[in-house]
Amino acid sequence: MPILVSAQINIKGIVSDQKSHAPIIGAVVYFQELQRGCVSNENGYYEFKDMPIGKYIVQVKSIGYETIIQTIYTKDAAALDFKMKETIFEIHEIVTTGIGRSTELKLSPVSIKSVDKDFLNLQTNSNLIDALKTVPGISQISSGVAISKPVIRGLGYNRILTLVDGIRQEGQQWGDEHGIEIDEFGVERVEIVKGPGSLVYGSDGLAGVINFISPSTISNGGSEINYNANYQTNNQLFSNSISSAGTKNDFSWNLIATDKFAKDYKNAADGSVYNSGFEEEDYAAMLGINKRWGYSRLSISNFDQKVGLVEGERDSIGGFIKNTLNRINLPFQRITHQKITSSTFIALANSSINIDLALQNNKRREYAEPIVPELFFNLTTFTYHAKFNFQNKRNWDMSTGISGMVQSNSNQGVAFLIPDYLQNDLGLYFISEKFVKPNLLFSLGFRADYRKLNTQKLLLNENGKVDPIDSLNYFVKFNSFTKNSFNFSAAAGLSYQYSDKLNFKLNLSRGFRTPNASELSSNGIHEGSFRYELGNENLKSEFNHQLDFALDYHSEHIKIEWSPFVNLINNYIYSEKLKSASGGDSLLDLKDPAPAFKFVQSNAFLFGSEIFIDVHPHPIDWLHIENSFSFVNAVNLKATDSTKYLPFIPAPHYRIDIRGQKKTVGSYFKNAFVKISLDYYSTQSRFFSAYGTETATPSYVLIGAGIGADLNNATKGKGVFKLLLSVENLTDEVYQNHLSRLKYAPVNPLTGRQGVFNMGRNFSLKLIYKLSD
């Protein structure tokens, strides 16, 4: 039986340049699992005190140098020096998502893509998911500029799990116009699992996992203040965020406040898109403690967003029908999300325990009238996750855990789309991995899950109201039912390091997803989604088998990543438009005539690939030429010609980004860059054409550019002052993305073209200021 570690040691050393042996100032030495880090001083010296004894991964990072990742036994590492090599490419990263323990990215058999704060800062985006749109294999289903839902390899909604620091983010993920309730300025890194993430997290990870990771803990004795501002010209978006973080006497904190607002966006076809503005206010606080036994963090956050819902209705001359002229008009939605989380790590003798708890409440109100919300979903979720990490005598690294959630949803509006429900999830899992050879890692995992869903019966009077006085003329809006589901997940993978430059991965996984309350029992108009939704109580759980292969190659002047996949999904759930007897749209609510859609099932097959090539031609040390291409083909295996392809599958996407960068430019600038990019989205002719559900989308090209640098003397050596200027859609291209829901808004009677178009030319100016102590 493991016991709590009492013996502690100190670790210290020098970080220096491999060639010149000169000390490296400001190198970050960080133990991910322990959430402990420090920065090397002017002599390259660093020191950790009171470290627990055990096996941990240490990461050493410094700008312009190749990151060092090393697994150490702390009891044997009292003196630990690091010699860093200059590099152009970042080839070493630690990841934590979808696996048992922290591991080096290139060694994980799971297909994971990691992007950092520098990548996010370079994007011209209006929301957090929008910032990931250039990652190969990642797309977004959008409803204007404020609402985006992630898509991984053609799959989205409840097939993708969203995490914050490894903890499930539970909003109303099933809804078309329901975005992600996360402050973009509170994210330091994003890890994306491409493929089933059910092994660690349970249902809803069938397509993958996106983990938004908060800033790392500041080294003991240090503190910093950060200010971020962004202005965008197209919709006059303005956002600013300020944060304070630090660690004193083993106590750490991080406080952040953010404010964002935007007016209607514009394009050359529609002019100003009526009611596409939004407002957002976010607050968060973290308090933590690091001691010899491990660490504990307590976090609270509040997300508050008000978003106009674009309906696209027009008058006879093609102008939008406008009710009022405020920043946000009817219809609109207001989303609030409050969350409190606790994360604890306990170091034991040659093992450790992680415990994560979270209580969150999501309120989503959709207004058709100014005061009383038409739809009002009140969702409360308690999640728990406990994991035990250990190593046996045969050097298998193993993790076993239990996770689950209790979730309740209640209707508090005057209209009803889904019933009140109570849901309980429980899962047990086991993951193990071992180096069977020094360069060959084998991993294996299994998980079993149980879900119980109870929905409540709802009776309404002839006016569609809940009125207990009039009990004679009631009709059943929702029937009560109980649905029990048992499922399992499994994965087996290999990671083979052929050489220092070439690495191969192969992973076979089985995931699952149980139908959500909306798919099983919805019955009503969904404001802003242009449809009447009907659930299906007979739906079965989806499950899939996915095979992933990956090739990673890097040399001094080129980096190549190739990731093909195949994915077979049984019982794939999708919505299908219903037709009336006359062949027109089926209208189930004559007061608000919207086409009716019902959830149905079939089997599906998806295959595709992503390739990324970064060329750094010699001897032009300052030039990068990045190329990426991604595509996915998705077919319904039980379909006719018009239903052959799955709905909402992204078009093939090619991107080239040419970037020049210099460490120093004169005496005033450092880390300077200039770039130009081109995105080509191919024609999407493979679409779900039955019943007019989808239409083809023509190809288009978007050109972007950017320039930026750090100002050398702005902080007098105590921080960073960065300016970034960029432009998207430089040529003001008129286009519709295939995954834009506004593509199916009403026809413009003047032009005869259906829907609302995406954003036109947009300049962005970002200011980033960090003052360190």
Side-chain angles (χ1 to χ4, degrees):
M1 180 73 181
I3 58 171
L4 202 66
V5 173
S6 57
Q8 306 290 312
I9 62 171
N10 298 335
I11 297 176
K12 58 186 178 180
I14 302 293
V15 183
S16 60
D17 185 287
Q18 187 181 75
K19 287 185 177 180
S20 68
H21 306 294
I24 296 177
I25 304 171
V28 178
V29 185
Y30 198 76
F31 288 84
Q32 178 70 41
E33 284 185 289
L34 299 173
Q35 294 281 292
R36 296 184 67 174
C38 66
V39 178
S40 60
N41 64 17
E42 63 274 10
N43 299 314
Y45 178 80
Y46 75 92
E47 182 177 10
F48 290 92
K49 295 182 178 180
D50 291 335
M51 293 286 285
I53 293 178
K55 176 185 174 184
Y56 300 103
I57 295 177
V58 61
Q59 176 178 260
V60 186
K61 299 186 73 172
S62 183
I63 295 175
Y65 288 91
E66 183 178 308
T67 298
I68 296 173
I69 294 178
Q70 190 173 327
T71 300
I72 66 169
Y73 290 90
T74 54
K75 65 179 179 180
D76 301 326
L80 189 62
D81 294 335
F82 298 102
K83 297 185 181 299
M84 304 193 74
K85 177 183 177 182
E86 289 192 14
T87 186
I88 301 299
F89 303 118
E90 180 53 79
I91 58 176
H92 298 292
E93 297 177 80
I94 292 177
V95 291
T96 61
T97 308
I99 50 182
R101 302 185 66 174
S102 298
T103 191
E104 187 174 355
L105 176 60
K106 69 177 183 179
L107 298 179
S108 171
V110 179
S111 180
I112 303 176
K113 180 66 176 179
S114 175
V115 298
D116 60 15
K117 191 70 173 180
D118 291 336
F119 172 91
L120 297 175
N121 286 335
L122 289 176
Q123 309 307 307
T124 304
N125 60 286
S126 56
N127 62 70
L128 187 52
I129 300 302
D130 189 36
L132 302 177
K133 63 182 180 291
T134 61
V135 177
I138 308 302
S139 311
Q140 57 176 331
I141 293 176
S142 63
S143 301
V145 296
I147 304 170
S148 296
K149 302 181 72 66
V151 174
I152 298 177
R153 292 175 168 175
L155 299 174
Y157 295 92
N158 277 77
R159 297 181 183 92
I160 295 176
L161 268 174
T162 302
L163 312 177
V164 178
D165 296 324
I167 296 174
R168 292 176 68 126
Q169 177 84 2
E170 286 293 320
Q172 307 282 353
Q173 299 99 311
W174 49 269
D176 283 317
E177 74 287 1
H178 303 165
I180 302 297
E181 308 91 349
I182 301 172
D183 179 8
E184 65 174 293
F185 295 104
V187 175
E188 183 179 67
R189 194 171 82 255
V190 185
E191 294 180 359
I192 304 168
V193 177
K194 300 177 183 178
S198 306
L199 194 63
V200 177
Y201 306 108
S203 181
D204 301 345
L206 182 141
V209 178
I210 301 181
N211 188 12
F212 297 98
I213 299 172
S214 302
S216 302
T217 305
I218 305 296
S219 59
N220 199 18
S223 64
E224 65 180 39
I225 294 175
N226 292 273
Y227 176 73
N228 291 264
N230 181 210
Y231 176 74
Q232 298 180 20
T233 59
N234 185 284
N235 58 350
Q236 298 179 54
L237 179 149
F238 181 70
S239 59
N240 61 96
S241 179
I242 188 168
S243 65
S244 171
T247 301
K248 302 288 185 182
N249 300 320
D250 296 328
F251 287 91
S252 57
W253 74 88
N254 190 357
L255 310 174
I256 183 170
T258 298
D259 178 68
K260 291 175 66 174
F261 61 84
K263 296 182 179 180
D264 294 341
Y265 77 87
K266 306 175 186 69
N267 62 59
D270 300 309
S272 181
V273 176
Y274 176 69
N275 206 27
S276 58
F278 67 93
E279 300 170 349
E280 180 181 321
E281 290 185 356
D282 307 319
Y283 307 95
M286 183 279 292
L287 296 176
I289 184 172
N290 276 74
K291 290 293 184 181
R292 59 181 57 190
W293 48 264
Y295 70 83
S296 186
R297 305 275 186 271
L298 180 67
S299 302
I300 59 173
S301 63
N302 179 79
F303 177 95
D304 192 339
Q305 185 184 61
K306 185 178 179 182
V307 184
L309 297 175
V310 178
E311 293 191 314
E313 295 180 346
R314 304 172 189 260
D315 56 30
S316 59
I317 59 173
F320 290 107
I321 298 175
K322 301 178 180 180
N323 298 318
T324 55
L325 295 175
N326 299 315
R327 182 187 296 163
I328 300 173
N329 304 290
L330 294 171
F332 68 86
Q333 64 175 340
R334 185 184 176 195
I335 308 101
T336 58
H337 193 99
Q338 290 88 31
K339 181 168 61 174
I340 180 169
T341 64
S342 169
S343 297
T344 300
F345 173 86
I346 302 172
L348 305 173
N350 298 316
S351 58
S352 61
I353 295 174
N354 294 85
I355 301 173
D356 295 322
L357 304 172
L359 178 65
Q360 49 195 309
N361 177 257
N362 183 283
K363 291 183 174 68
R364 191 173 300 274
R365 309 167 182 88
E366 298 185 5
Y367 291 84
E369 298 295 334
I371 300 176
V372 179
E374 186 140 340
L375 291 175
F376 185 169
F377 307 114
N378 189 351
L379 182 72
T380 300
T381 307
F382 173 70
T383 60
Y384 54 91
H385 182 196
K387 180 173 63 174
F388 178 51
N389 307 299
F390 60 100
Q391 186 181 69
N392 71 3
K393 294 181 180 179
R394 296 183 178 181
N395 293 321
W396 282 89
D397 285 319
M398 292 182 275
S399 299
T400 183
I402 179 172
S403 65
M405 70 177 180
V406 180
Q407 185 175 87
S408 67
N409 189 78
S410 62
N411 288 289
Q412 298 179 9
V414 297
F416 306 92
L417 176 60
I418 61 174
D420 294 355
Y421 68 84
L422 178 66
Q423 177 179 300
N424 284 273
D425 288 10
L426 177 64
L428 300 169
Y429 67 88
F430 175 80
I431 302 173
S432 60
E433 62 179 36
K434 179 182 180 180
F435 279 98
V436 293
K437 291 184 177 180
N439 60 345
L440 180 62
L441 178 70
F442 174 70
S443 69
L444 184 69
F446 180 84
R447 180 184 175 104
D449 277 273
Y450 167 71
R451 169 175 287 184
K452 183 176 182 180
L453 176 68
N454 290 299
T455 69
Q456 294 185 21
K457 188 173 185 177
L458 178 63
L459 301 176
L460 300 178
N461 64 24
E462 57 188 3
N463 296 317
K465 308 296 182 182
V466 179
D467 185 0
I469 298 176
D470 181 8
S471 59
L472 298 178
N473 298 313
Y474 269 65
F475 68 93
V476 178
K477 178 71 172 179
F478 303 112
N479 281 310
S480 62
F481 67 88
T482 299
K483 194 172 186 70
N484 295 291
S485 303
F486 295 90
N487 291 281
F488 74 91
S489 310
L494 292 169
S495 177
Y496 177 55
Q497 192 167 355
Y498 179 79
S499 67
D500 291 339
K501 297 180 179 180
L502 183 61
N503 192 67
F504 299 97
K505 299 180 183 182
L506 186 68
N507 193 63
L508 176 64
S509 53
R510 183 192 195 276
F512 77 95
R513 184 182 75 89
T514 56
N516 58 53
S518 171
E519 294 164 332
L520 293 167
S521 55
S522 58
N523 182 14
I525 293 283
H526 198 174
E527 272 295 336
S529 68
F530 314 119
R531 65 191 191 186
Y532 190 107
E533 296 180 354
L534 278 175
N536 183 350
E537 293 182 17
N538 298 316
L539 295 176
K540 301 176 182 178
S541 293
E542 296 179 338
F543 64 90
N544 74 326
H545 296 87
Q546 180 162 320
L547 180 65
D548 288 281
F549 174 79
L551 178 152
D552 296 318
Y553 173 81
H554 70 272
S555 66
E556 187 176 357
H557 301 293
I558 189 169
K559 180 178 182 181
I560 301 174
E561 299 173 355
W562 179 46
S563 306
F565 72 94
V566 292
N567 187 6
L568 177 64
I569 306 177
N570 294 85
N571 306 323
Y572 177 84
I573 300 171
Y574 62 101
S575 60
E576 185 176 84
K577 185 184 283 188
L578 301 179
K579 285 294 184 181
S580 66
S582 63
D585 289 343
S586 177
L587 306 177
L588 301 183
D589 189 338
L590 297 180
K591 296 179 181 179
D592 190 355
F597 287 74
K598 185 173 182 177
F599 291 100
V600 295
Q601 286 189 297
S602 183
N603 293 336
F605 179 69
L606 298 89
F607 67 91
S609 179
E610 301 98 40
I611 185 166
F612 174 83
I613 302 175
D614 186 359
V615 179
H616 170 64
H618 182 73
I620 311 173
D621 294 337
W622 50 266
L623 183 63
H624 279 271
I625 304 174
E626 295 181 356
N627 296 266
S628 66
F629 177 73
S630 59
F631 82 95
V632 58
N633 192 22
V635 296
N636 187 334
L637 296 179
K638 298 179 180 179
T640 60
D641 289 343
S642 62
T643 60
K644 179 179 179 180
Y645 300 108
L646 299 187
F648 283 101
I649 299 301
H653 176 206
Y654 168 74
R655 176 180 174 86
I656 181 170
D657 191 301
I658 302 174
R659 186 176 72 254
Q661 57 188 46
K662 298 275 285 184
K663 285 186 177 181
T664 59
V665 178
S667 58
Y668 294 99
F669 304 103
K670 61 180 180 180
N671 301 321
F673 75 92
V674 59
K675 70 168 187 173
I676 185 168
S677 63
L678 181 147
D679 288 273
Y680 172 71
Y681 291 85
S682 177
T683 299
Q684 182 53 291
S685 55
R686 295 177 171 139
F687 57 94
F688 190 88
S689 62
Y691 323 114
T693 301
E694 280 190 305
T695 58
T697 303
S699 64
Y700 57 92
V701 174
L702 302 177
I703 296 175
I707 187 171
D710 298 349
L711 277 66
N712 249 341
N713 300 317
T715 60
K716 298 182 180 180
K718 292 188 175 182
V720 175
F721 186 87
K722 186 187 294 287
L723 285 175
L724 305 169
L725 176 64
S726 61
V727 59
E728 274 204 346
N729 195 2
L730 180 62
T731 60
D732 208 21
E733 178 81 4
V734 173
Y735 73 99
Q736 289 175 320
N737 186 282
H738 188 69
L739 302 189
S740 170
R741 289 184 51 258
L742 300 186
K743 182 173 181 277
Y744 302 100
V747 172
N748 184 332
L750 182 66
T751 64
R753 295 186 296 192
Q754 183 179 13
V756 176
F757 288 78
N758 287 76
M759 181 181 281
R761 183 187 300 112
N762 185 27
F763 288 90
S764 170
L765 177 64
K766 290 185 178 180
L767 181 153
I768 301 168
Y769 179 77
K770 179 170 76 172
L771 183 63
S772 303
D773 179 13

